[in-house]
Amino acid sequence: MREKIFGVLLAGGLSRRMGGGDKPLLEIDGRPIIAHAIARLAPQCDGLVINANGDPARFGAFGLPVVADTVEGFAGPLAGVLAGMDYAAAHRPEATDIVSAPADTPFLPDDLVARLRAARETAGAQIAVAESGDRVHHAVALWPVALREELRRALAEEGVRKVSAFIARYPNANVAWPDKPYDPFFNVNRPEEVETARAIAQGSH
């Protein structure tokens, strides 16, 4: 039976390097960055949710459920992964897995889910993680919903915050994508990177 995979776009960050505000709502190529991410990830998933803290109405235009972290204190991307797992368990009980990606990553590859799934199966792993160039993108990963309570315990009781540290507890597989002509996992962290993203968007048509 094919796995049912639910997508989670992680927009819960504090955007410190951008001086606050919501990076995913910055526009490139006439649309918010998160709109690009949705367009790329939604066709690969059996449903999609946005993980964001604060007023969910600011993401209302995208017509997707918005879920806040279920652990306190801005615990980082792992808290967003858990929020996605909790949503899937409550509302999409048929979902076996979630795929996570930052909401400020507008050029996600069209074969993301298929390749993560295949790599996990081939390696007999539990978690599959994307990489490009020499960089592993731990927040871009395929996770079994069955790890939900272990992740909650790691966050709430053990204080684990690094995504890589949690992933390292389980058999995992990395999947490499080329980073030319552009890195499909390029994300907008600083103001000057907005211009880089706009240039990539113009060139990728």
Side-chain angles (χ1 to χ4, degrees), residues 45-58:
C45 300
D46 300 290
L48 194 59
V49 70
I50 298 169
N51 161 243
N53 298 299
D55 183 1
R58 66 197 196 276

Side-chain angles (χ1 to χ4, degrees), residues 71 78 81-82 85-86 126-127 143-160 165-167 169-171:
V71 294
L78 277 176
V81 172
L82 177 61
M85 288 179 176
D86 283 343
Q126 282 182 275
I127 301 170
W143 316 74
V145 176
L147 294 182
R148 187 164 68 109
E149 296 309 327
E150 291 170 47
L151 177 52
R152 192 186 321 280
R153 194 158 48 247
L155 280 164
E157 297 174 21
E158 301 171 45
V160 174
F166 184 77
I167 289 173
R169 298 180 174 191
Y170 302 93

